[in-house]
Amino acid sequence: MKSDGRFLGLLSTIIMLLFAAACIIPFILLISASLTDQNAIVAHGYSFIPQKFSTDAYVYLFDRGSDILRAYGVTVFVTVFGTVVGVIITTLIAYPLSRSETPYRGLFIFIILFTMLFNGGLVPSYLVYTQLFDLKNTIWALIVPGILTNGYYMMMMRTFFQSTVPPALIESAQLDGASEYRTLWSIVLPISKPILAAIGMFTAIYYWNDWQNGMVYITKPELFSIQNLLNRIMQDIQFITTNLSSNSSQAMAQMPSDSVKMAMAVIGALPILIAYPFFQKYFIKGIVIGAVKG
Amino acid sequence: MEPAASAAAIQTAPKVKKKKINIRKHAPLLIMMIPGLLYLFFNNYLPMLGIVIAFKDINFAKGILHSDWIGFDNFEYLFKTSDAFIITRNTILYNLFFIVVGTVLALGTAILLNEVKNKVMLKSFQAIITMPHLISMVIVSYLVYALLSAETGFINNTVLPWFGIEDGIMWYSEAKYWPVILSLVHFWKSVGYSSIVFFAALLGIDEEYYEAARLDGANRWKQITNITLPIMIPIIILMTMLSIGRIFYSDFGLFYQVPMASGALFETTETIDTYVFKGLMGSGDLGMSTAAGVYQSIVGFFLVILANYTVRRYSKDNALF
């Protein structure tokens, strides 16, 4: 009995090691390829061990770092702003819906649920944001379409409030004369940090990774997020040179284009890969909160 | 995954009809909701009206409202071409495959994780296998490119020569390989993430069941097949039903970014979402893609209702509404 448990444990560990390796290996190829000399790539292709080590790609990108920095600026601003506003609006709608006293609560819940069942689709949304609000080529086009990423977050938070915040607590606060806002701020929110953190994190990841809004609404290179810049570079490696350097033809000739592509991807992925060990605990908790009801 | 979250609470909601509705007293609660409701109105409800444009000959010079009505012409064109069939087939088949195989892989991973008793290893495995979920599809498309690029890719330059294939394969122009490639990428990105959900459910299983089984002489494998799996069945069915409700919607990033929008791969990589997107971005037919969008919204709507109805019959608590 004991031994079959141990055997299964060992087998599980081995399979999981392989799985974990499969998750990491592509990143190693990416990093190695970005550190390989351009001629070596042309001769031998991308490989896990650089045939000829070279940091040319990074030197090249560093020289033309201004648009990468700007793209990071756009991404950081959009992520921070969108997440803060998104979490605030989600909380403000989820809290009343968790309270049985709220008039017409059933109607409001239906209004949210219906958005989860039916949507107009991409083209009508595009027309609303470009024709009615004129958001095309503004930074708001990267933020507004994702603010309430989806109805699930509102319902998730509402469920959390209902199952975690005892109504008696709210009642006693209000008997002491606390207003609704006061109650929410100093009674409800302090005990709801896990759900705020989970939803905030998922919203932030959405914004950080979003490329679709940028692709639909942004054509000005100054407003590209890091994802859009990556997309653009893959489509056209000359983008950086033609748009940003004055002596573009010379730059293009020297450009280590195959390694630059990979170096760009490393630069795009690096912040998340570096930050992940620090927030992975919360990420995994968040997945569980999001999946297990309440 | 997410639908399960919101589930329970919805039922417990509107049972306070007897109390007198006192709007003035509860005005602050209503005021709080205004930003969110306004947002939903503009972001979700207004575009719903926009589906009328599928019945128009869109002409940006005339403006949307003044474009000519053409009835069902857009739909007729769409369904006359083979496009409608291909994108529907691809969307549904990929999703079905992802649901079935994805569930098996995620559940298997969860069971394996449950057997890893070393705490540090367990935590590291969880962290590593969820990481791909965090990476944007743009980056994923670079990873795939590093492997598959015809001239510089790792597969063509290093792996295929091991097997004596020196010519290399033009991956980005051969449609037949892509069902495999896209499935691998999908599972790579999502299995770790979804296994965490199952793993959390496994942790919730009462240890007493296992103890009783051990006393009866059941080995670890027997315990998995006779205790773990039967207990997991409800959550598996629920998650499957909820995914089936979304079967008309594809993972847009996967199908758009990873094949790099290569036209040669249309046959096996185009889904409804990519078709609509390409129509809007000007590399397809706007009228037909708008019609495809409406087709998706309407069929998708009925599928969600149907899936929910099934879940409801099975377990009221977990239905969406």
Side-chain angles (χ1 to χ4, degrees):
Chain A
M1 262 193 307
K2 273 261 156 74
S3 67
D4 74 48
R6 215 173 299 151
F7 172 71
L8 209 60
L10 187 66
L11 186 71
S12 307
T13 308
I14 292 173
I15 299 178
M16 288 310 301
L17 273 174
L18 292 176
F19 186 6
C23 290
I24 293 179
I25 282 174
F27 294 101
I28 297 177
L29 178 62
L30 191 74
I31 292 168
S32 159
S34 72
L35 290 170
T36 308
D37 180 71
Q38 172 68 18
N39 294 327
I41 293 178
V42 171
H44 308 287
Y46 298 127
S47 60
F48 283 93
I49 301 147
Q51 301 274 352
K52 187 166 172 249
F53 184 83
S54 150
T55 53
D56 286 359
Y58 291 96
V59 171
Y60 177 85
L61 287 176
F62 191 76
D63 282 349
R64 291 160 187 77
S66 63
D67 62 325
I68 295 171
L69 275 182
R70 193 190 300 113
Y72 261 125
V74 169
T75 296
V76 169
F77 175 76
V78 164
T79 304
V80 172
F81 192 90
T83 305
V84 170
V85 175
V87 171
I88 291 175
I89 295 183
T90 305
T91 310
L92 287 180
I93 201 162
Y95 173 65
L97 295 181
S98 74
R99 294 276 306 274
S100 61
E101 299 94 324
T102 305
Y104 307 110
R105 188 164 77 145
L107 172 72
F108 293 122
I109 289 173
F110 176 79
I111 289 177
I112 295 176
L113 275 180
F114 193 70
T115 64
M116 293 150 81
L117 304 177
F118 188 76
N119 66 70
L122 181 65
V123 182
S125 296
Y126 175 81
L127 294 175
V128 167
Y129 282 126
T130 53
Q131 314 275 311
L132 197 62
F133 290 107
D134 218 6
L135 287 189
K136 194 154 183 152
N137 276 325
T138 66
I139 191 135
W140 308 112
L142 296 174
I143 297 172
V144 179
I147 281 186
L148 299 182
T149 325
N150 58 47
Y152 296 124
Y153 294 161
M154 288 179 265
M155 302 314 277
M156 232 167 93
M157 198 185 270
R158 163 178 177 271
T159 309
F160 187 93
F161 287 150
Q162 273 181 339
S163 56
T164 328
V165 184
L169 196 64
I170 295 174
E171 259 167 48
S172 71
Q174 302 200 324
L175 281 178
D176 290 345
S179 67
E180 291 291 356
Y181 292 96
R182 180 97 212 149
T183 317
L184 175 62
W185 180 254
S186 12
I187 307 287
V188 178
L189 291 188
I191 53 176
S192 303
K193 279 180 194 151
I195 191 77
L196 296 175
I199 289 176
M201 191 174 53
F202 283 121
T203 312
I205 293 170
Y206 161 85
Y207 276 115
W208 186 276
N209 284 342
D210 178 61
W211 48 272
Q212 198 184 342
N213 289 326
M215 204 183 251
V216 173
Y217 296 108
I218 306 292
T219 50
K220 270 203 232 154
E222 306 92 77
L223 285 171
F224 277 177
S225 68
I226 196 80
Q227 309 291 345
N228 293 125
L229 189 66
L230 274 167
N231 243 323
R232 189 60 170 265
I233 284 171
M234 194 48 119
Q235 284 163 11
D236 178 5
I237 193 72
Q238 269 99 43
F239 178 70
I240 297 184
T241 38
T242 48
N243 277 280
L244 292 134
S245 84
S246 46
N247 50 351
S248 57
S249 59
Q250 195 196 346
M252 227 183 304
Q254 300 165 346
M255 185 163 161
S257 59
D258 289 311
S259 51
V260 163
K261 279 181 198 164
M262 295 300 133
M264 252 324 281
V266 171
I267 289 177
L270 215 53
I272 290 227
L273 295 181
I274 290 175
Y276 186 57
F278 299 101
F279 74 88
Q280 52 92 2
K281 217 171 76 192
Y282 306 98
F283 184 58
I284 291 167
K285 264 192 204 152
I287 301 174
V288 176
I289 290 182
V292 182
K293 57 185 179 186
Chain B
M1 261 49 348
E2 284 142 339
S6 47
I10 295 151
Q11 262 69 40
T12 56
K15 281 193 183 127
V16 267
K17 280 273 156 60
K18 272 172 223 144
K19 264 191 212 166
K20 226 180 168 191
I21 289 175
N22 186 339
I23 295 190
R24 186 169 301 164
K25 182 168 167 225
H26 297 296
L29 288 173
L30 294 173
I31 293 170
M32 267 182 211
M33 291 195 284
I34 289 176
L37 291 173
L38 271 179
Y39 180 82
L40 289 177
F41 174 75
F42 285 112
N43 186 63
N44 299 74
Y45 283 92
L46 210 53
M48 286 182 199
L49 302 177
I51 63 173
V52 298
I53 58 177
F55 304 95
K56 287 187 169 215
D57 179 21
I58 300 164
N59 182 335
F60 282 104
K62 285 187 186 174
I64 307 301
L65 291 174
H66 304 286
S67 292
D68 302 325
W69 290 97
I70 50 166
F72 281 89
D73 282 8
N74 282 329
F75 291 89
E76 244 185 279
Y77 293 135
L78 173 66
F79 287 100
K80 257 186 199 154
T81 63
S82 57
D83 293 7
F85 171 74
I86 292 175
I87 60 177
T88 310
R89 179 199 63 192
N90 288 351
T91 308
I92 290 180
L93 285 187
Y94 274 112
N95 273 330
L96 272 181
F97 186 70
F98 290 175
I99 292 170
V100 175
V101 180
T103 307
V104 173
L105 291 176
L107 188 64
T109 307
I111 290 174
L112 292 176
L113 277 176
N114 204 24
E115 297 299 324
V116 177
K117 299 300 176 202
N118 182 321
K119 278 266 154 59
V120 179
M121 281 235 234
L122 177 64
K123 294 260 177 252
S124 321
F125 286 149
Q126 284 185 315
I128 293 170
I129 64 177
T130 43
M131 186 187 63
H133 190 81
L134 262 163
I135 299 297
S136 86
M137 271 299 176
V138 182
I139 309 261
V140 173
S141 77
Y142 274 76
L143 296 175
V144 174
Y145 178 84
L147 290 167
L148 296 183
S149 157
E151 298 84 29
T152 54
F154 179 72
I155 304 267
N156 274 5
N157 283 285
T158 309
V159 178
L160 291 182
W162 289 341
F163 299 97
I165 305 168
E166 296 291 344
D167 294 345
I169 296 171
M170 305 292 283
W171 298 101
Y172 286 94
S173 46
E174 297 254 19
K176 64 182 176 198
Y177 299 115
W178 282 83
V180 178
I181 298 169
L182 289 176
S183 301
L184 286 175
V185 174
H186 170 79
F187 294 133
W188 179 78
K189 204 167 182 326
S190 69
V191 165
Y193 179 87
S194 13
S195 74
I196 298 299
V197 177
F198 287 120
F199 181 67
L202 283 181
L203 287 183
I205 297 177
D206 197 332
E207 193 53 40
E208 277 178 23
Y209 290 120
Y210 294 113
E211 257 163 46
R214 242 171 283 155
L215 285 178
D216 289 344
N219 62 23
R220 203 73 189 114
W221 176 250
K222 277 256 165 67
Q223 292 171 29
I224 289 173
T225 51
N226 291 327
I227 298 175
T228 312
L229 287 179
I231 292 180
M232 295 298 284
I233 281 179
I235 185 175
I236 297 172
I237 293 183
L238 279 173
M239 290 186 139
T240 310
M241 285 320 298
L242 292 165
S243 322
I244 287 179
R246 306 272 314 157
I247 207 165
F248 237 58
Y249 293 88
S250 60
D251 178 354
F252 174 61
L254 176 68
F255 292 96
Y256 185 80
Q257 292 286 355
V258 179
M260 304 207 162
S262 164
L265 305 177
F266 182 91
E267 188 66 30
T268 54
T269 64
E270 198 80 351
T271 62
I272 303 175
D273 298 86
T274 57
Y275 189 77
V276 174
F277 186 79
K278 285 174 189 168
L280 177 64
M281 301 308 284
S283 56
D285 181 288
L286 185 59
M288 267 157 63
S289 63
T290 315
V294 173
Y295 161 62
Q296 180 183 42
S297 295
I298 290 172
V299 180
F301 176 70
F302 284 110
L303 285 172
V304 181
I305 300 279
L306 195 71
N308 189 69
Y309 176 74
T310 319
V311 171
R312 214 180 146 75
R313 286 191 52 175
Y314 191 80
S315 146
K316 246 186 166 182
D317 278 354
N318 289 289
L320 197 56
F321 50 89

